[in-house]
Amino acid sequence: MNFKIKNISLKQSLLTVMLVALLGVLKSCYSFTGSSLTDEKTVQINEFPNNAPLVNPALSQQFSTAIQNRFLQRTTLKGTKENPDILIEGEITDYSITPTTISSNTQSTPSGGVIQQGQNKLTITVKVHYENKIHPDASFDRTYTDEAAFNSDVSLSQIEDQQVKLVTDRIINKIFNDIVANW
């Protein structure tokens, strides 16, 4: 019986060694981050001014900080202000709240009237200029838009921070994927 216990232990050890070796081979063949930024070392991300007709006073700073954090925390790029390999800049061109739907859900009022619930939509649009000095063919100018709906019976001031974060995170994900994944 001792032999079987040692045999099972030996099998587990061999399996563990083979698994570690396989992971090492996979890691050398493929970067788990999936980043196409292999030669680039530095990035400069300028502030994104808010040039939308409706201005959220905190949006420019929040967006600029969030996109800088995304690139500096999830890539090996180092931030710089002089001669960067990558330049990312742009502007916020739209920030709007519009009614979108009137639902079939109804509520009766004390006076006997009927109120239909609806939704509003927060939309943010950002123009981005991406310049890659190492691989100029990867450079682009694109516009990104995203939105989030919320019940019209909730005031924007109650949910604005949450909705803005949701929409800006989605836009930053799109920008990040277009630059880093280069799909």
Side-chain angles (χ1 to χ4, degrees):
M1 242 185 169
N2 265 346
F3 180 70
K4 286 184 179 179
I5 292 173
K6 287 181 183 179
N7 193 15
I8 290 173
S9 178
L10 181 62
K11 284 182 183 179
Q12 288 176 341
S13 296
L14 285 173
L15 185 61
T16 302
V17 168
M18 288 175 51
L19 184 60
V20 169
L22 179 63
L23 286 174
V25 169
L26 286 176
K27 184 165 175 36
S28 68
C29 295
Y30 178 77
S31 168
F32 287 108
T33 64
S35 176
S36 66
L37 303 177
T38 54
D39 303 324
E40 299 83 350
K41 304 292 181 229
T42 59
V43 64
Q44 178 179 339
I45 302 173
N46 292 335
E47 185 168 340
F48 282 68
N50 189 349
N51 296 325
L54 178 61
V55 175
N56 174 327
L59 182 58
S60 175
Q61 180 65 41
Q62 289 172 348
F63 185 87
S64 300
T65 301
I67 194 167
Q68 289 169 358
N69 288 342
R70 177 70 54 92
F71 278 87
L72 295 176
Q73 292 172 358
R74 294 192 185 177
T75 68
T76 59
L77 297 170
K78 304 293 181 210
T80 186
K81 292 286 183 188
E82 296 179 14
N83 198 24
D85 296 334
I86 292 175
L87 172 66
I88 302 170
E89 59 187 358
E91 64 177 321
I92 298 162
T93 58
D94 186 42
Y95 179 90
S96 59
I97 294 106
T98 54
T100 59
T101 61
I102 298 175
S103 72
S104 60
N105 294 340
T106 59
Q107 295 177 352
S108 298
T109 63
S111 62
V114 175
I115 300 173
Q116 287 188 314
Q117 294 180 341
Q119 287 191 322
N120 289 330
K121 174 176 64 174
L122 168 67
T123 303
I124 299 175
T125 302
V126 179
K127 284 175 67 174
V128 175
H129 172 74
Y130 166 62
E131 188 176 322
N132 187 320
K133 292 181 183 174
I134 306 293
H135 301 287
D137 55 316
S139 300
F140 62 77
D141 289 294
R142 292 188 185 144
T143 300
Y144 296 87
T145 299
D146 211 304
E147 59 193 37
F150 57 95
N151 287 335
S152 60
D153 61 345
V154 177
S155 76
L156 182 62
S157 62
Q158 291 175 314
I159 51 93
E160 187 171 26
D161 289 344
Q162 173 190 2
Q163 297 298 81
V164 166
K165 180 167 178 17
L166 176 69
V167 173
T168 57
D169 282 350
R170 288 180 187 162
I171 291 173
I172 290 169
N173 281 339
K174 292 175 187 178
I175 296 167
F176 185 82
N177 287 337
D178 282 355
I179 292 172
V180 174
N182 195 16
W183 294 353

